[in-house]
Amino acid sequence: MSHPFPGLEALIPADAVLEKLADGATWGEGPVCLEDGAVLWSDIPGNRVLRWHPQDGSSAALQPSHFHNGHTRDEGGRLYACSHGERAVLRSDDAGQSWQPVATHHAGKRLNSPNDVVVARDGGVWFSDPPYGLIQPREGYGGQQEQPVCRVYRLDPETGEVEAKVSDMLWPNGLAFSPDEATLYVTDTSRTHDLVGHHHIRAYPVAANGVGEGRVFAVVSPGMPDGIRTDEHGHLWSSSGSGLQVFAPDGRKLGEVPAPEAITNLTFSHLEPFLYVTGSDSLYRLAVSVRGARF
């Protein structure tokens, strides 16, 4: 019997299927796993955060959400969210019951619309800041773009300072660290509004919280490399217009998990050997043979 996902035999069990858990979102995004086994995920145009639990099924966890997009958690279990509407990165210490802004400005000017977020082992909060919440009426409250360019920032956990780290991309979007945190991967989704824009993933060397010159790691097609994650062995798992695409640490495409809709984001469970995946209107689960490098 052949493997259902050629090239991914070492990463996905032979009997794995992309299992739909919930649907009904307008545009699904930002999955994150909680300690009780639930998954929170965003319905950005629906202005709500959805919750799926293996016993309770699907429900609305936060409405209105002020257009949450990406979510993550730190090693202590605290949740972080990117809010298009509040133009801020938020934190929750109570499993998403309440949220407080932790990053709203850089150099005295409001952020654009934070999109995706990851937390490093030292507690630094890295996030991307494209303009989607300003230019798309269904994904934010609009407003004037105050930052001259779209960047990736780091929120210092000690000082609270928001530091610009990547400034050479058009519209930075999804973020992921390599397992040793020596490389930061960033997707560019500027093709969504510009036919000559990008749909690639860039890799940046990181040392002592400084970021070196980036390079193109992989070009994703069809569609866009929106959300990304890495596994414990350094493979990069990317969303795309046709499903999940998986790349080796050297940028070679290993294989793909086809999906019936565009895939937008993903996260590894820290509790079980599963990958949770958001599509344009659905939440999926995929059994995997590896653990995530981060949450």
Side-chain angles (χ1 to χ4, degrees):
M1 180 178 176
S2 61
H3 196 277
F5 311 117
L8 304 179
E9 291 85 354
L11 307 179
I12 302 174
D15 59 351
V17 296
L18 190 63
E19 175 191 6
K20 181 182 285 192
L21 303 176
D23 57 18
T26 315
W27 186 260
E29 256 283 8
V32 64
C33 298
L34 305 186
E35 292 296 335
D36 65 354
V39 179
L40 296 182
W41 55 301
S42 302
D43 176 7
I44 305 175
N47 198 11
R48 57 184 181 161
V49 172
L50 302 173
R51 178 183 183 270
W52 175 86
H53 189 276
Q55 277 78 51
D56 304 334
S58 186
S59 61
L62 182 64
Q63 190 173 17
S65 65
H66 302 294
F67 304 98
H68 276 210
N69 189 336
H71 295 95
T72 195
R73 62 189 296 273
D74 63 20
E75 292 187 326
R78 298 183 300 184
L79 299 179
Y80 290 82
C82 290
S83 171
H84 287 191
E86 296 186 63
R87 299 173 68 167
V89 176
L90 314 175
R91 191 181 77 200
S92 174
D93 298 338
D94 54 12
Q97 298 301 307
S98 61
W99 297 89
Q100 299 80 37
V102 293
T104 58
H105 290 72
H106 169 68
K109 298 179 179 179
R110 294 189 72 185
L111 298 172
N112 298 325
S113 58
N115 189 285
D116 202 10
V117 56
V118 291
V119 182
R121 291 185 181 89
D122 66 359
V125 181
W126 297 67
F127 63 94
S128 59
D129 190 39
Y132 288 112
L134 301 180
I135 65 173
Q136 296 191 157
R138 298 196 314 154
E139 295 197 2
Y141 299 126
Q144 184 68 34
Q145 180 172 330
E146 299 181 20
Q147 298 297 331
V149 296
C150 300
R151 303 184 178 97
V152 175
Y153 297 98
R154 177 183 183 269
L155 171 67
D156 188 285
E158 301 297 330
T159 66
E161 180 183 0
V162 175
E163 308 160 311
K165 295 298 181 181
V166 175
S167 302
D168 65 346
M169 297 184 69
L170 294 180
W171 287 5
N173 194 320
L175 306 174
F177 279 108
S178 60
D180 60 4
E181 298 191 352
T183 302
L184 174 68
Y185 298 101
V186 188
T187 70
D188 190 326
T189 53
S190 52
R191 177 67 68 90
T192 56
H193 285 67
D194 186 344
L195 291 179
V196 296
H198 300 311
H199 53 109
H200 60 216
I201 304 168
R202 289 177 63 82
Y204 293 85
V206 179
N209 296 320
V211 177
E213 184 176 353
R215 59 182 173 84
V216 174
F217 172 79
V219 178
V220 173
S221 181
M224 307 288 158
D226 194 340
I228 52 175
R229 285 293 184 266
T230 55
D231 65 33
E232 59 188 325
H233 303 299
H235 304 105
L236 187 144
W237 301 61
S238 176
S239 56
S240 79
S242 57
L244 284 171
Q245 298 187 13
V246 185
F247 297 86
D250 62 6
R252 290 178 297 114
K253 183 179 176 181
L254 298 177
E256 181 170 340
V257 178
E261 59 187 292
I263 295 303
T264 59
N265 214 324
L266 56 145
T267 191
F268 285 93
S269 171
H270 59 289
L271 300 174
E272 300 175 288
F274 288 120
L275 185 71
Y276 289 93
V277 180
T278 50
S280 52
D281 75 342
S282 307
L283 175 70
Y284 297 90
R285 179 172 63 184
L286 178 71
V288 292
S289 304
V290 292
R291 300 188 68 85
R294 300 293 292 152
F295 311 121

